[in-house]
Amino acid sequence: MPTPRRAKNDHLLYADVVDSKQKAGVWMGERDAFQTKQAEILEAVKDQADWVPVENAIMVVSTEPAGITFIAPNPTLPGVIVLADGGSPEASAQLQAAGEELVRKVMAERGIVEEEAA
């Protein structure tokens, strides 16, 4: 069952603590209404890039460790893709492992056999 995220006003402070500024790729100097600016940027990027909406996929947001995990069906092979990015290489590795383990657990619960990677 999904749980609502806590209200946070410390995004920028937290980014400094977990050193996620380098992961942002492009860090904005804008502090006021930065979420509005993010939405504006993303809408403009859509006009200039080939992109797809995130449908039939799951993006898991984690605070411990901090980061995101993207879980989606592989479009060309019979499998599930798990991509993770955390505030550090260690956090990314933890998120990746947790995401893969979650997929394996769900597969096992449903009797779906995992094949050895080639």
Side-chain angles (χ1 to χ4, degrees):
M1 187 64 152
T3 56
R5 293 182 65 195
R6 68 177 174 87
K8 297 193 299 185
N9 295 320
D10 62 348
H11 295 285
L12 298 173
L13 294 174
Y14 191 69
D16 286 336
V17 171
V18 299
D19 193 29
S20 64
K21 282 186 174 183
Q22 65 182 353
K23 296 250 183 210
V26 180
W27 192 254
M28 292 185 295
E30 178 68 42
R31 298 295 191 258
D32 296 325
F34 71 92
Q35 291 174 328
T36 301
K37 295 287 185 190
Q38 288 171 333
E40 179 183 332
I41 290 166
L42 292 178
E43 284 304 313
V45 166
K46 287 179 183 179
D47 292 338
Q48 300 179 34
D50 293 327
W51 65 281
V52 294
V54 178
E55 293 180 21
N56 300 320
I58 302 166
M59 185 171 70
V60 180
V61 178
S62 174
T63 56
E64 190 55 45
I68 61 170
T69 304
F70 184 77
I71 303 171
N74 188 315
T76 58
L77 297 171
V80 176
I81 297 171
V82 178
L83 303 172
D85 188 23
S88 68
E90 294 80 17
S92 295
Q94 288 177 9
L95 292 167
Q96 181 76 30
E100 290 174 5
E101 184 56 34
L102 178 58
V103 170
R104 286 185 176 102
K105 176 183 172 227
V106 169
M107 287 172 63
E109 289 172 353
R110 284 155 181 74
I112 300 170
V113 178
E114 178 181 2
E115 292 186 16
E116 291 293 322

